[in-house]
Amino acid sequence: MTARKSLDHYRRIVIKIGSALLVDRKTGLKKAWLDGMCADIAALKAKGVDVLVVSSGAIALGRSVLDLPSGALKLEESQAAAAVGQISLARAWSESLSHDDIVAGQILLTLGDTEERRRYLNARATINQLLKIGAVPIINENDTVATSEIRYGDNDRLAARVATMTGADLLILLSDIDGLYTAPPHLDPDAKFLETIAEITPEIEAMAGGAASELSRGGMRTKIDAGKIATGAGCAMIIASGKTERPLNAIESGARSSWFAPSGTPVTARKTWIAGQLQPAGELHVDDGAVTALGAGKSLLPAGVRSIVGHFGRGDTVAVIGPSGREIARGLAGYDAEEARQITGRKSTEIEAILGYPGRAAMVHRDDLVMTASVKTKAERQKKDEAHA
Ligand code: GLU
């Protein structure tokens, strides 16, 4: 087994599970398989790895509960099937995980929740909180309200967005396909299996056929799309077959799977995005203490902020200005300008009394902050002045 397929080597793993693994057309939910999957998840969590699940299967399960005929469903039919199936799906996860005393939390996302910054921050905060308390987020698209223009449409890409949103370092796509071949293997007997993909080049993209299995929407194409999203943000990806009883265990034991190398680090990708915002919506003027704290990689607390300039909403990009008037950092505001003004210079413990709700301790969280200039602390400046004196 190579280190990159040794799963406890990763810090945070998003596992996407295709409908065909979880749901049998005739018999419904595959309970034994789910129990095996949950045992694998419990083993990973026991080793300190954060696990998030993107589970398909709502529509397939709803179909089976409602006994709908096979063939394509109309939009409202699949939405109704999802509404019925999602309840069973979430309950099944929750029950199976509880065997190992693990709590599940259901998150249903629509496209805007990852594409609009403010909603993105909200969804991320909830998911992070679930992870913090040791729960396993069970995520799916909110199929009951998503219509074609506003949907991800497939859980491969949704899982990749979840991976980038949560700073995961590995995305595992489990389906009935065991990895990437140079051509669709069922069509081309000479197709060769690819164990490692260093970069998703146009040639690699061309290898992905369009075929999807009957129960799910994603084929190899959406898996490669997911790979581009994930690896571009510094997250590795594994495509593996989930058809065995303990699929994660199988990956670690050397079962065939394709590994896609990450192309950057999650921090750089995310921070590049923040630093690359063209026009900060406002400014936070900070004191020397804050400059030192930011230089040491800490979050910006309200106590270190002296004044606020501009009108911005929570999640907008703001520039952090040091006492010398120079921009030292950029970040995503944890509060809108109005609230930020009220808590400026105050201790984080006072936030609740001032705003009337607990709020976040940081004005800009360090995960949302990127230094745009190298900073010297007051002590360093004094030292320099003394040396010159
Ligand atoms: N969200 C869909 C479901 O739960 C599955 C989408 C997919 O298969 O990619 O039924």
Side-chain angles (χ1 to χ4, degrees), residues 19-37:
S19 300
L21 297 176
L22 265 170
V23 185
D24 182 273
R25 271 202 143 301
K26 295 202 178 70
T27 54
L29 185 79
K30 297 183 186 172
K31 179 103 182 48
W33 185 88
L34 181 59
D35 285 345
M37 183 72 227

Side-chain angles (χ1 to χ4, degrees), residues 19 23 25 55-68 71-75 77-87 89 140-144 146 151 153 155 214-217:
S19 300
V23 185
R25 271 202 143 301
S55 175
S56 301
I59 297 173
L61 206 51
R63 268 187 108 120
S64 124
V65 173
L66 296 169
D67 216 5
L68 296 177
L73 296 178
K74 290 200 209 97
L75 176 65
E77 284 173 335
S78 60
Q79 288 178 319
V84 171
Q86 184 62 37
I87 292 187
L89 187 64
N140 197 359
E141 177 157 19
N142 195 351
D143 291 309
T144 55
R151 71 185 312 151
N155 277 1
E214 199 196 342
L215 285 175
S216 72
R217 299 204 184 89

Side-chain angles (χ1 to χ4, degrees), residues 1-278:
M1 173 186 49
T2 56
R4 52 185 199 229
K5 287 184 184 173
S6 151
L7 302 182
D8 57 1
H9 174 85
Y10 296 91
R11 198 174 33 78
R12 183 169 283 185
I13 304 181
V14 175
I15 305 164
K16 183 262 169 174
I17 292 161
S19 300
L21 297 176
L22 265 170
V23 185
D24 182 273
R25 271 202 143 301
K26 295 202 178 70
T27 54
L29 185 79
K30 297 183 186 172
K31 179 103 182 48
W33 185 88
L34 181 59
D35 285 345
M37 183 72 227
C38 289
D40 274 354
I41 291 174
L44 267 186
K45 279 184 62 65
K47 290 178 184 160
V49 182
D50 287 342
V51 179
L52 300 92
V53 173
V54 173
S55 175
S56 301
I59 297 173
L61 206 51
R63 268 187 108 120
S64 124
V65 173
L66 296 169
D67 216 5
L68 296 177
S70 56
L73 296 178
K74 290 200 209 97
L75 176 65
E76 60 274 20
E77 284 173 335
S78 60
Q79 288 178 319
V84 171
Q86 184 62 37
I87 292 187
S88 312
L89 187 64
R91 191 197 311 121
W93 275 106
S94 164
E95 267 173 25
S96 265
L97 283 169
S98 74
H99 300 162
D100 288 289
D101 293 324
I102 297 172
V103 172
Q106 175 186 254
I107 306 259
L108 298 177
L109 294 173
T110 39
L111 192 61
D113 295 323
T114 55
E115 307 312 295
E116 283 172 34
R117 243 183 3 235
R118 244 161 265 167
R119 286 165 64 185
Y120 166 97
L121 286 181
N122 260 325
R124 197 186 57 169
T126 310
I127 294 173
N128 280 339
Q129 184 60 23
L130 282 171
L131 294 171
K132 204 165 145 195
I133 59 176
V136 171
I138 305 294
I139 302 164
N140 197 359
E141 177 157 19
N142 195 351
D143 291 309
T144 55
V145 293
T147 54
S148 50
E149 314 80 63
I150 52 147
R151 71 185 312 151
Y152 303 94
D154 67 87
N155 277 1
D156 294 325
R157 288 179 312 137
L158 169 61
R161 294 297 280 145
V162 167
T164 61
M165 159 153 108
T166 55
D169 47 1
L170 178 66
L171 166 66
I172 303 178
L173 301 180
L174 290 179
S175 69
D176 45 8
I177 309 162
D178 58 3
L180 180 66
Y181 292 78
T182 52
H186 56 287
L187 300 177
D188 183 349
D190 293 331
K192 286 195 183 50
F193 182 77
L194 297 174
E195 168 108 30
T196 303
I197 294 89
E199 192 190 343
I200 301 179
T201 58
E203 292 74 44
I204 295 289
E205 287 186 58
M207 290 170 192
S213 81
E214 199 196 342
L215 285 175
S216 72
R217 299 204 184 89
M220 193 48 78
R221 164 124 341 265
T222 57
K223 291 184 174 43
I224 297 299
D225 286 347
K228 287 207 287 193
I229 297 168
T231 61
C235 176
M237 182 172 89
I238 289 177
I239 298 179
S241 166
K243 287 201 284 192
T244 51
E245 286 281 291
R246 300 281 303 265
L248 301 185
N249 198 31
I251 295 173
E252 297 201 287
S253 317
R256 183 176 258 204
S257 62
S258 294
W259 185 84
F260 294 70
S263 61
T265 67
V267 168
T268 334
R270 177 169 168 65
K271 300 214 165 180
T272 309
W273 176 67
I274 295 170
Q277 298 289 313
L278 292 178

Side-chain angles (χ1 to χ4, degrees), residues 271 274-275 280 282-286 290-291 293-295 298 300 317-322 326-332 364-366 368-375:
K271 300 214 165 180
I274 295 170
E283 294 175 355
L284 309 181
H285 290 256
V286 303
V291 174
L294 298 191
K298 302 223 170 83
L300 176 61
T317 306
V318 287
V320 180
I321 314 289
R326 202 165 56 111
E327 175 182 312
I328 55 161
R330 281 189 184 188
L332 305 182
V364 180
H365 191 273
R366 63 195 165 108
D368 300 331
L369 192 105
V370 53
M371 301 303 288
T372 49
S374 66
V375 294

